[in-house]
Amino acid sequence: MSAKLIVTVFGAILIILVNWYFFFSKRKTKSVGVQDEGIQEVRINVKGGYEPDVIEVKKDIPVRLNFYRDETNDCSDTIVFSDFNIRKPLPAYKTTAVEFTPKKEGEFGFTCGMGMLKGKLIVKKDF
Amino acid sequence: MAIDPIHEMDAKEEKAERIDIPILGMTCASCASTIQSGLAGLPGVDKASVNFATSKATVLYHPEKVNVKDLAKTVKQSGYAVGTVSVELPIQGMKCASCVTAIEKALLQKNGITMASVNLATEKARVEYIPSEISLAEISKTIEGSGYKVIQFPQEEKLEDVEEILREKENKKLKTKFLAGLILGIIIFFGSMPHWFPWIPTFLNNFFVLWAFATPVQFWIGWQFYKGAWGAFRHRNANMDTLIAVGTSAAYLYSVAATLFPSFFESGGIKPEVYFDTSAMIIVLILLGRLLEAKAKGQTSEAIKKLVGLQPKTARIRRDGKEMDIPVEEVLVGDEILVRPGEKIPVDGVVLEGKSAVDESMITGESLPAKKEQGDEVIGATINKTGSFTFTATKVGRDTALAQIIKLVGEAQGSKAPIQRLADVIAGYFVPIVISIAIAVFVIWFNFGPDPALTFAFLNFVAVMIIACPCALGLATPTAVMVGTGKGAENGILIKGGESLETAHKLDTIVFDKTGTLTKGEPEVTDIVTAGSFSEEDILKYAASAEKASEHPLGEAIIKKALEKGIELESPKDFNAVEGHGLEAKVDGKAVFIGNKKLMDNRKIRVGEMEEKADTFAAEGKTPIYVSLDREFAGLVAVADTLKENSILAVKKLESLGLNVIMLTGDNRKTAKAIALKAGIKDVIPEVLPEDKVREIKKLQSEGKKVAMVGDGINDAPALAQADIGIAIGSGTDVAIEASDITLIKGDLNGVVAAIELSKRTIRVIKQNLFWAFFYNTAGIPIAAGVLYPFFGILLNPIFASAAMAFSSVTVVSNSLRLKKAKIRI
């Protein structure tokens, strides 16, 4: 009886942990400074995910996200910013720039082509 | 139409040089003006003009006062980037720091070089340049001109090649691993089942021996799953690799525990058993699935590879009277290019002299060779068949039809169809939810399952993890879109993307513009009726000769007819155009009047019963032209814009697809009706001014119709954009039509039918794929969890789960590949 109870409690905790970790835990955030060229530029490493995967940018200033895909794993071969109508192939071991100017404040997700790798772009008026 | 900045400015002084700088990052027209004012403000710049549409800055500057580097810097300071290529050239013969400056200076004086930095230590020059302005060969020559040697000529690397090589390597590794895994897996499999295979040497039944065989499978062959899972885990993502890594690790670790501590299991009343065969076979089967999937996925992008492969390598040009072979990248607009029979035409252009037949099937999908003579357009990458000719290059590099097609197809293949949205949302939550379900399954079996509960709980946990397949969901739409758009491109149909495909299959109304779309857009002589003793030849000879002085399109039709008949034309004298009536002239001493009835009435020429005939022509949608010679009525010439050969068939086909076909035209009701009748179209919207076309489309849409508009890309652009699907009829090299969702490279209307059929088929395949992927996961996961066990005693062995999972994505991709074989031509 006690073994069943332990397994049940342990299982429940594990389920909560899994969901918390993948859906609700805090992600690493990187705020992007404005470069001399007047562009907010950041390099994002792509390997099983995006590093950094939460990017803070300022509104109305052009953004250039340089995705460097550090693998040949097919999962990450496309980057999608559905709110900005951007879908770009990311060739392996190459840097691909994604450029746009965010005009609206808010949080915008970006994903891989299959929606499994996730990142977030936070557009703020000011940091 | 955009004004060509080159023509806008003339070089003020002889010394001023012109450069086109490609600019990246412009989002609006105001960006263009920012850059323009920045450039124009530089000393030494005569004029700067920035075109937002072409993303280019055209600058007239004096190289002695300002160099390209400064221009590039100004562009960068305005917040934009310059589209340059960077190259590293190894240099020989540099001895001191002054050599460095000498080379840098020489390079920076060159038009088109935006950055030059020479490193004495590494003996290399790093040069950033604008490829359309200066070639690598010219850069090397400049360095050599200042007394140094460029050791080797680096190949400008091609992205596709690098990708290809990496993929190849990856595949080879995968194959080796699979084979090794297969051998080890079979040994473990046999060894694990002594009751089935009693003839196996007994030492193979030993748990420790099985462990030894399973370990390399788990951690060498299966290493990629751990790597992928860990990479994703660090980013709080979970994917296929996570499921496989966790699932197989569970089986492996359980078996290790049973091997090392059998007494622990026995004390709990459980027979210690190992599942090394499960973990090993899962890994081997998934690898096999990945191999097959990679192969199939490679085929989905074959169309674009084929297009890239069409690109010619060299061109034979004539410069300064000399013939030479040069790389196709170095061909400039205006170059005179020679093409011999059997050769590939290197770039787009217009025939200067010579005649030939050209096989354009690879671009337009048209199987019959196209005749080419002076003034005709030729398309790069097509193959010259019969004769030799020379032509002037009009589009090179990224502007050629082929380059545009590659770009368009590439973009289309990467695009998303709205139908995919649900699958995408699910894929995002899929893996963590599956892990949660698997844990719940374990707990339920452990608590309520039959004995041995731990074993059941454990095996079902692994089966759920392994059978779940988010890949099938993720591959369902994109692979079909890739194959579908690729198939279109092979047949001269360029589809903008997944969304266009999806909308196209929902269409119920299709509107054709008349002139140039249904009809050829060039009036032709359709009938000649003679009066009195005059012959057809007389009428054609005198009328055509007189028309030589006019530029009226109806006149051109008559001249064309006369020339076709081999009639020699005279030069007209005393030519006089009579506004709104026609013309009069003297040919061969005879007074010729050509025009409408009013002209005849005016000149008091009696036409008798011919007026009735003329009315009949008008009712048939033709324009009757009266001709008189020496004040005597000679006959009627009927001129009409004729239907394209395939219009009738295309209309019929579209109607059989259930579409309502409508013709839109500026013609009056009577003429419009007559032409529509010929084409087999029942609905006509006549007397529509060009600017009102958009309104008519909107009206149809407001009635709840899904409307496609078929027209040419220039005059009909607003209507094409307004329609749910704009289908632009292109011609030859003009392929990048912005306003359209579908572009037909060839003017043939069968392409419209083919495009709609293709979209229907693609969407059907997508739906099948999505159904299969959803069905597979929604049925597979519960079965793996053991829901059938209480009723039928059915449980899924994790090995079968892995086989099912591996082949589910292969099934989806193979289904998409069926589109390649689809017959969409009429």
Side-chain angles (χ1 to χ4, degrees):
Chain A
M1 188 65 208
S2 64
K4 288 187 178 178
L5 191 68
I6 292 168
V7 166
T8 310
V9 171
F10 189 69
I13 293 172
L14 211 55
I15 291 175
I16 292 167
L17 269 177
V18 164
N19 285 281
W20 168 81
Y21 184 77
F22 289 117
F23 296 135
F24 302 108
S25 64
K26 206 169 152 43
R27 284 154 191 261
K28 213 188 278 173
T29 306
K30 176 154 180 149
S31 304
V32 181
V34 181
Q35 316 283 307
D36 325 338
E37 299 176 339
I39 294 176
Q40 308 183 77
E41 192 164 13
V42 66
R43 183 188 153 100
I44 299 165
N45 206 49
V46 184
K47 195 174 185 181
Y50 307 103
E51 168 104 51
D53 56 6
V54 179
I55 296 143
E56 273 189 348
V57 295
K58 279 185 208 164
K59 200 181 126 192
D60 291 329
I61 298 171
V63 171
R64 186 188 295 146
L65 306 173
N66 296 314
F67 286 91
Y68 177 74
R69 182 159 156 241
D70 197 11
E71 62 182 352
T72 48
N73 192 341
D74 283 348
C75 282
S76 60
D77 65 5
T78 311
I79 183 83
V80 180
F81 284 79
S82 50
D83 299 301
F84 298 91
N85 279 330
I86 294 170
R87 186 180 175 94
K88 266 196 164 177
L90 300 181
Y93 307 113
K94 292 265 169 192
T95 301
T96 309
V98 173
E99 294 177 347
F100 56 91
T101 305
K103 301 275 186 203
K104 240 181 19 196
E105 283 171 56
E107 294 191 355
F108 307 96
F110 58 89
T111 63
C112 68
M114 288 160 85
M116 293 178 65
L117 310 179
K118 276 183 278 200
K120 200 161 52 179
L121 185 81
I122 303 172
V123 181
K124 289 186 168 176
K125 204 167 169 194
D126 235 322
F127 295 146
Chain B
M1 225 172 88
I3 299 161
D4 186 353
I6 301 154
H7 293 297
E8 264 185 317
M9 42 191 184
D10 300 312
K12 275 181 193 163
E13 295 168 44
E14 280 178 356
K15 278 189 220 150
E17 281 199 30
R18 209 200 82 191
I19 183 170
D20 287 327
I21 306 172
I23 291 172
L24 306 176
M26 280 202 286
T27 50
C28 58
S30 75
C31 307
S33 64
T34 312
I35 302 171
Q36 188 164 312
S37 56
L39 287 171
L42 286 178
V45 171
D46 277 352
K47 198 161 184 176
S49 145
V50 179
N51 187 329
F52 169 56
T54 59
S55 295
K56 265 183 191 159
T58 306
V59 186
L60 277 186
Y61 71 106
H62 296 272
E64 70 278 6
K65 286 186 197 148
V66 61
N67 61 27
V68 181
K69 191 177 152 193
D70 300 325
L71 300 178
K73 205 166 124 195
T74 308
V75 172
K76 279 182 193 154
Q77 277 166 354
S78 322
Y80 306 90
V82 174
T84 54
V85 169
S86 169
V87 70
E88 219 163 56
L89 298 164
I91 296 172
Q92 219 170 32
M94 288 195 295
K95 289 181 193 74
C96 57
S98 71
C99 309
V100 170
T101 354
I103 298 175
E104 281 181 359
K105 222 172 139 191
L107 284 171
L108 284 174
Q109 268 171 4
K110 278 277 163 191
N111 201 344
I113 293 178
T114 56
M115 197 277 287
S117 147
V118 179
N119 188 324
L120 183 62
T122 59
E123 294 195 281
K124 272 181 187 156
R126 175 144 210 93
V127 184
E128 276 177 23
Y129 66 100
I130 304 167
S132 55
E133 292 294 319
I134 189 166
S135 70
L136 256 183
E138 283 174 87
I139 294 173
S140 303
K141 224 155 107 192
T142 308
I143 297 173
E144 278 166 8
S146 39
Y148 307 92
K149 207 169 153 51
V150 177
I151 298 173
Q152 79 198 108
F153 202 73
Q155 285 284 316
E156 277 170 77
E157 64 178 340
K158 292 216 167 87
L159 212 75
E160 298 85 15
D161 295 349
V162 178
E163 273 277 289
E164 199 62 24
I165 292 163
L166 285 170
R167 208 169 277 275
E168 230 21 30
K169 236 167 110 181
E170 200 77 2
N171 267 346
K172 221 171 146 188
K173 213 164 91 189
L174 212 58
K175 261 185 215 159
T176 321
K177 280 189 166 187
F178 167 69
L179 284 176
L182 189 64
I183 295 164
L184 288 169
I186 289 171
I187 296 172
I188 298 167
F189 188 76
F190 282 130
S192 301
M193 313 206 170
H195 47 288
W196 281 8
F197 311 106
W199 42 269
I200 290 284
T202 46
F203 81 95
L204 281 177
N205 302 137
N206 184 298
F207 286 2
F208 283 94
V209 174
L210 290 174
W211 183 16
F213 279 117
T215 303
V217 179
Q218 190 70 27
F219 297 109
W220 172 55
I221 294 160
W223 185 245
Q224 54 173 321
F225 301 119
Y226 287 107
K227 218 168 87 180
W230 175 243
F233 185 79
R234 275 193 319 138
H235 297 98
R236 290 163 170 78
N237 290 320
N239 57 22
M240 205 54 235
D241 292 334
T242 317
L243 295 175
I244 297 162
V246 175
T248 56
S249 300
Y252 177 82
L253 293 175
Y254 179 96
S255 311
V256 172
T259 309
L260 290 176
F261 314 108
S263 52
F264 173 78
F265 286 80
E266 278 156 2
S267 69
I270 302 162
K271 192 178 164 226
E273 279 193 87
V274 292
Y275 295 98
F276 288 122
D277 57 329
T278 305
S279 63
M281 287 314 281
I282 290 171
I283 287 174
V284 172
L285 283 168
I286 305 268
L287 275 190
L288 175 65
R290 287 217 171 160
L291 265 176
L292 295 175
E293 188 185 315
K295 207 170 159 207
K297 268 170 85 183
Q299 284 175 31
T300 60
S301 57
E302 228 167 45
I304 202 140
K305 272 188 222 144
K306 254 193 229 167
L307 286 170
V308 172
L310 284 178
Q311 282 169 325
K313 304 267 183 303
T314 59
R316 164 156 290 231
I317 66 160
R318 189 183 285 148
R319 268 186 203 160
D320 308 321
K322 265 190 272 174
E323 283 181 18
M324 52 184 146
D325 283 327
I326 60 167
V328 76
E329 292 83 26
E330 295 184 6
V331 176
L332 304 172
V333 169
D335 271 340
E336 198 181 323
I337 299 167
L338 291 83
V339 190
R340 285 170 299 202
E343 282 180 348
K344 225 178 224 181
I345 295 170
V347 296
D348 297 352
V350 175
V351 175
L352 261 182
E353 59 179 332
K355 269 187 195 173
S356 186
V358 175
D359 175 9
E360 293 184 337
S361 59
M362 57 297 281
I363 301 286
T364 65
E366 169 65 62
S367 50
L368 291 174
K371 278 186 190 134
K372 300 288 175 189
E373 53 186 32
Q374 195 184 350
D376 284 341
E377 268 189 347
V378 288
I379 311 173
T382 57
I383 292 169
N384 179 28
K385 287 281 186 197
T386 49
S388 297
F389 63 90
T390 59
F391 73 97
T392 317
T394 54
K395 285 176 184 162
V396 299
R398 288 176 188 185
D399 299 326
T400 62
L402 180 65
Q404 298 282 355
I405 292 170
I406 292 171
K407 192 170 151 246
L408 267 169
V409 176
E411 281 170 5
Q413 294 198 329
S415 74
K416 212 167 207 177
I419 196 170
Q420 193 180 350
R421 240 169 247 151
L422 180 64
D424 277 352
V425 170
I426 291 176
Y429 297 98
F430 193 83
V431 177
I433 288 173
V434 168
I435 298 174
S436 307
I437 293 173
I439 297 169
V441 164
F442 184 91
V443 171
I444 291 167
W445 276 92
F446 187 80
N447 285 341
F448 307 109
D451 275 336
L454 178 66
T455 312
F456 276 116
F458 163 73
L459 285 178
N460 291 332
F461 167 82
V462 176
V464 169
M465 293 285 272
I466 298 300
I467 203 166
C469 182
C471 287
L473 279 176
L475 292 169
T477 319
T479 52
V481 169
M482 281 179 84
V483 181
T485 49
K487 174 87 184 166
E490 280 173 13
N491 289 288
I493 301 162
L494 302 177
I495 300 164
K496 201 174 240 172
E499 203 170 339
S500 309
L501 264 176
E502 198 175 328
T503 317
H505 101 285
K506 291 185 192 147
L507 292 171
D508 52 26
T509 305
I510 187 153
V511 180
F512 281 97
D513 176 56
K514 191 205 88 180
T515 311
T517 305
L518 280 172
T519 65
K520 289 178 184 157
E522 296 160 358
E524 277 178 20
V525 172
T526 56
D527 306 83
I528 302 171
V529 184
T530 56
S533 58
F534 294 100
S535 68
E536 268 192 23
E537 278 69 34
D538 289 336
I539 295 177
L540 277 176
K541 182 185 171 185
Y542 289 99
S545 300
E547 290 282 5
K548 264 174 85 177
S550 99
E551 276 167 7
H552 201 281
L554 297 180
E556 278 174 28
I558 297 176
I559 295 172
K560 209 173 137 204
K561 185 80 182 174
L563 291 174
E564 268 172 27
K565 290 220 160 193
I567 296 168
E568 242 172 74
L569 302 186
E570 311 284 334
S571 293
K573 281 184 193 135
D574 305 332
F575 176 85
N576 180 29
V578 188
E579 189 76 24
H581 289 78
L583 62 89
E584 51 186 18
K586 275 226 159 84
V587 177
D588 238 2
K590 285 190 180 174
V592 185
F593 299 147
I594 307 169
N596 53 20
K597 180 76 192 343
K598 279 185 204 156
L599 183 74
M600 299 294 130
D601 290 347
N602 216 320
R603 299 289 190 268
K604 301 209 168 50
I605 289 162
R606 293 216 272 156
V607 300
E609 289 163 4
M610 280 293 179
E611 201 176 343
E612 266 173 46
K613 190 77 199 159
D615 285 344
T616 324
F617 283 142
E620 287 170 3
K622 298 170 184 168
T623 309
I625 300 167
Y626 294 82
V627 182
S628 86
L629 295 178
D630 273 345
R631 311 197 68 85
E632 194 179 334
F633 181 59
L636 277 176
V637 178
V639 174
D641 190 0
T642 50
L643 287 176
K644 286 183 185 165
E645 286 90 16
N646 290 321
S647 292
I648 298 169
L649 191 63
V651 169
K652 211 183 265 173
K653 261 277 188 187
L654 287 168
E655 279 184 337
S656 74
L657 284 173
L659 290 156
N660 181 28
V661 183
I662 299 174
M663 186 179 93
L664 198 65
T665 175
D667 291 350
N668 66 52
R669 190 168 290 275
K670 209 164 145 191
T671 315
K673 275 261 177 204
I675 291 171
L677 197 71
K678 263 193 208 161
I681 297 174
K682 291 172 207 88
D683 285 345
V684 184
I685 308 176
E687 291 159 43
V688 182
L689 297 172
E691 57 270 30
D692 290 339
K693 283 180 184 169
V694 173
R695 214 185 51 209
E696 293 298 332
I697 300 283
K698 271 190 191 157
K699 222 164 93 188
L700 288 167
Q701 285 171 326
S702 70
E703 291 165 17
K705 289 181 173 141
K706 283 264 173 211
V707 185
M709 166 82 196
V710 188
D712 76 69
I714 302 153
N715 301 316
D716 300 328
L720 291 178
Q722 174 61 40
D724 297 293
I725 288 289
I727 303 177
I729 302 259
S731 62
T733 63
D734 185 23
V735 292
I737 296 169
E738 284 294 317
S740 66
D741 302 290
I742 297 172
T743 304
L744 306 176
I745 302 175
K746 198 169 51 145
D748 186 345
L749 290 191
N750 279 336
V752 178
V753 185
I756 289 172
E757 276 193 340
L758 182 64
S759 80
K760 284 191 194 266
R761 275 167 188 263
T762 310
I763 297 298
R764 206 185 307 148
V765 166
I766 291 175
K767 283 183 178 162
Q768 288 162 355
N769 284 350
L770 285 174
F771 169 79
W772 169 247
F774 276 115
F775 170 79
Y776 172 83
N777 280 306
T778 46
I781 294 174
I783 293 172
V787 288
L788 296 180
Y789 187 77
F791 311 107
F792 308 104
I794 296 173
L795 268 185
L796 197 64
N797 184 315
I799 295 177
F800 290 122
S802 75
M805 141 55 228
F807 291 103
S808 67
S809 20
V810 177
T811 315
V812 164
V813 181
S814 309
N815 193 37
S816 297
L817 285 173
R818 281 194 314 128
L819 276 172
K820 271 173 62 165
K821 295 201 192 94
K823 283 211 172 67
I824 52 159
R825 299 259 94 192
I826 306 169

